[in-house]
Amino acid sequence: WQASMEGRQEQYALLSQLMDTAAELIQGPNVDNQRLLLEGGMLTQVNELWVRQRVDEVTFRGLIQDNEDLFPMWMSLLKTMRICEIAALNFLLSLLEE
């Protein structure tokens, strides 16, 4: 169980960084960046991220019910997941700015 939670925090932190970088690229001088991301199906991919994140959250909540020793790791992971959600929302908002 613990092995399945390990590594997820780093994955969500990386996704947060990618979303932050994408939001910055969109806000740059090239207005075609928004069009390229929208045409490339980025909204679908962000939606898939949310679905996957919810699946992880439900799964990991079940794990900590069986093993309370995982609670600190879970809270750290949950914080990282929420930061990733915020980064995704910032990215989506940046798509709508222009």
Side-chain angles (χ1 to χ4, degrees):
W1 310 333
Q2 197 168 3
S4 65
M5 279 179 69
E6 286 185 21
R8 287 289 198 196
Q9 188 165 352
E10 291 81 9
Q11 290 174 357
Y12 283 111
L14 179 61
L15 285 170
S16 296
Q17 291 173 358
L18 287 171
M19 294 289 179
D20 288 339
T21 301
E24 290 174 14
L25 286 172
I26 289 171
Q27 295 169 359
N30 188 350
V31 293
D32 289 333
N33 290 338
Q34 290 171 318
R35 182 183 51 78
L36 290 173
L37 287 169
L38 289 171
E39 288 175 357
M42 184 54 75
L43 296 178
T44 303
Q45 293 176 5
V46 172
N47 190 47
E48 290 172 5
L49 168 66
W50 265 305
V51 170
R52 184 168 312 218
Q53 189 165 339
R54 289 294 163 239
V55 169
D56 281 353
E57 188 171 331
V58 169
T59 301
F60 296 145
R61 280 184 192 271
L63 289 177
I64 64 163
Q65 289 178 351
D66 295 336
N67 187 351
E68 291 181 12
D69 293 339
L70 295 175
F71 186 76
M73 181 188 287
W74 161 246
M75 291 309 292
S76 180
L77 175 60
L78 188 61
K79 179 181 177 184
T80 306
M81 291 169 84
R82 293 300 176 253
I83 291 170
C84 183
E85 287 177 350
I86 292 167
L89 287 171
N90 285 333
F91 167 68
L92 293 174
L93 286 173
S94 67
L95 281 173
L96 300 174
E97 282 183 351
E98 293 296 322

